[in-house]
Amino acid sequence: MLVLPLNAQPLYPVKIDKKWGLINAEGKVVVEPIYEVIGEFDRFGFAVMQKNRQVGLLDREGKEVIPAAFKELKVLDSTLVAVVEDTAWKVMDHYGRTVVPEGYEEIEVWDQDYIAFRKNGQWGIVDQSGRLLVNPTYDEVFLEQGRYFIIRRGEFIGLVSLDGQLILDCNSSEVKSFNEGLIFFRQKERWGAVNAAGKILLQPKYDLYNKLSEEFIKLRIEQESFLFSTHAARIIARGHEDYFAFSSNKVLTKKDSKIGLLSA
């Protein structure tokens, strides 16, 4: 009898009469030796096993989470596996539901919530249930600060919400999130802004923007300054030479060498 001890595991693979099973720390057989191979338990608590020349998955209690019905199997995280059933890989959950169909070339799992996949050289995104959020039509996709997906096509980038709604098409050279409801984007060296629903709040015509506080943003076109209120979601002042941070809900204004105070 050959026993392979595995650190910090409640069950241990054991080989009896050329078959593999599992025993506990007291040496009691918990899973009968019916498998051709049982691999090591990974950091997610699963072990790949083989039966009748097909592979499946066991959990730490020795239960068959995935039956031995596949040519190859890779554990992706605590809920997802990649398997080869015929000739191509697909991603499925532990309930046997297909999350990413066959035919992908590469995948990335993000925060156990989203999966980026490459198909025909283009990237798309699904959630853990397999719901398609972003069609595989982009050169690159990224998860941005856990708030949005950045999509890239050629030199330009866009933005998609976590539920798959297009916020910005791929026509910007830069995108910056100010807060959850305000996103600045740059097109042809000019800045504009949208809200989380994709509504244009500022047309892309500003040379620069500068945060004064969570409430106020200073904008500039050449020598002209504007004051944008994040609360009102619009420009609330213009015509002053400059604006300066004063407090969370007040700004100093300058015009003709005179200083004023503007409240939200």
Side-chain angles (χ1 to χ4, degrees), residues 108 110 115-117 123-125 134-135 137-143 149-152:
E108 296 178 4
W110 296 336
I115 304 167
F117 66 97
W123 285 89
I125 303 170
V134 177
N135 283 310
T137 58
Y138 298 99
D139 297 332
E140 287 185 282
V141 291
F142 307 95
L143 179 61
F149 301 121
I150 289 182
I151 51 178
R152 184 181 70 81

Side-chain angles (χ1 to χ4, degrees), residues 169-188:
D169 207 350
C170 287
N171 49 22
S172 301
S173 58
E174 192 173 356
V175 173
K176 291 186 176 182
S177 176
F178 183 85
N179 57 36
E180 290 186 5
L182 182 63
I183 305 127
F184 280 87
F185 62 93
R186 187 168 66 171
Q187 296 178 1
K188 298 180 180 180

Side-chain angles (χ1 to χ4, degrees), residues 23 85 113:
I23 61 173
E85 192 167 17
D113 292 318

Side-chain angles (χ1 to χ4, degrees), residues 114 125-127 131-135 138 147-149 151 159-168 196-197:
Y114 308 102
I125 303 170
V126 298
D127 64 16
R131 183 168 68 97
L132 184 65
L133 301 175
V134 177
N135 283 310
Y138 298 99
R147 292 180 176 177
Y148 311 100
F149 301 121
I151 51 178
L159 214 59
V160 175
S161 69
L162 296 183
D163 61 358
Q165 300 302 310
L166 183 67
I167 299 173
L168 277 172

Side-chain angles (χ1 to χ4, degrees), residues 3-218:
V3 177
L4 299 180
L6 298 174
N7 295 332
Q9 294 179 176
L11 298 181
Y12 304 87
V14 58
K15 189 176 184 181
I16 304 174
D17 296 331
K18 299 182 179 181
K19 293 288 186 178
W20 286 86
L22 294 173
I23 61 173
N24 61 20
E26 287 74 39
K28 180 182 178 181
V29 174
V30 177
V31 175
E32 294 296 326
I34 60 174
Y35 300 102
E36 296 151 13
V37 175
I38 296 180
E40 294 187 357
F41 284 90
D42 61 21
R43 60 192 179 98
F44 299 111
F46 301 107
V48 177
M49 51 72 174
Q50 179 176 304
K51 185 168 61 174
N52 299 324
R53 298 186 177 180
Q54 299 281 78
V55 293
L57 201 65
L58 298 174
D59 65 14
R60 284 193 181 276
E61 296 179 355
K63 297 178 182 178
E64 288 193 4
V65 180
I66 304 292
F70 303 97
K71 294 179 179 179
E72 294 186 67
L73 184 150
K74 294 179 181 178
V75 177
L76 301 178
D77 64 14
S78 60
T79 63
L80 297 174
V81 294
V83 297
V84 175
E85 192 167 17
D86 295 315
T87 59
W89 287 92
K90 71 176 182 180
V91 177
M92 57 184 287
D93 62 20
H94 292 173
Y95 297 101
R97 296 178 299 201
T98 297
V99 178
V100 181
E102 291 183 349
Y104 72 85
E105 297 143 8
E106 186 178 352
I107 59 169
E108 296 178 4
V109 180
W110 296 336
D111 297 338
Q112 295 188 344
D113 292 318
Y114 308 102
I115 304 167
F117 66 97
R118 183 164 59 89
K119 186 175 183 179
N120 298 324
Q122 299 288 286
W123 285 89
I125 303 170
V126 298
D127 64 16
Q128 281 268 3
S129 70
R131 183 168 68 97
L132 184 65
L133 301 175
V134 177
N135 283 310
T137 58
Y138 298 99
D139 297 332
E140 287 185 282
V141 291
F142 307 95
L143 179 61
E144 175 67 11
Q145 299 177 348
R147 292 180 176 177
Y148 311 100
F149 301 121
I150 289 182
I151 51 178
R152 184 181 70 81
R153 188 177 287 146
E155 299 179 358
F156 299 104
I157 60 176
L159 214 59
V160 175
S161 69
L162 296 183
D163 61 358
Q165 300 302 310
L166 183 67
I167 299 173
L168 277 172
D169 207 350
C170 287
N171 49 22
S172 301
S173 58
E174 192 173 356
V175 173
K176 291 186 176 182
S177 176
F178 183 85
N179 57 36
E180 290 186 5
L182 182 63
I183 305 127
F184 280 87
F185 62 93
R186 187 168 66 171
Q187 296 178 1
K188 298 180 180 180
E189 304 304 319
R190 297 290 185 268
W191 287 97
V194 296
N195 63 16
K199 179 182 177 181
I200 297 289
L201 301 179
L202 294 169
Q203 294 293 335
K205 61 181 182 180
Y206 299 92
D207 296 327
L208 56 86
Y209 71 93
N210 182 33
K211 176 182 177 180
L212 301 180
S213 66
E214 292 298 327
E215 171 67 29
F216 296 112
I217 300 171
K218 180 173 67 175

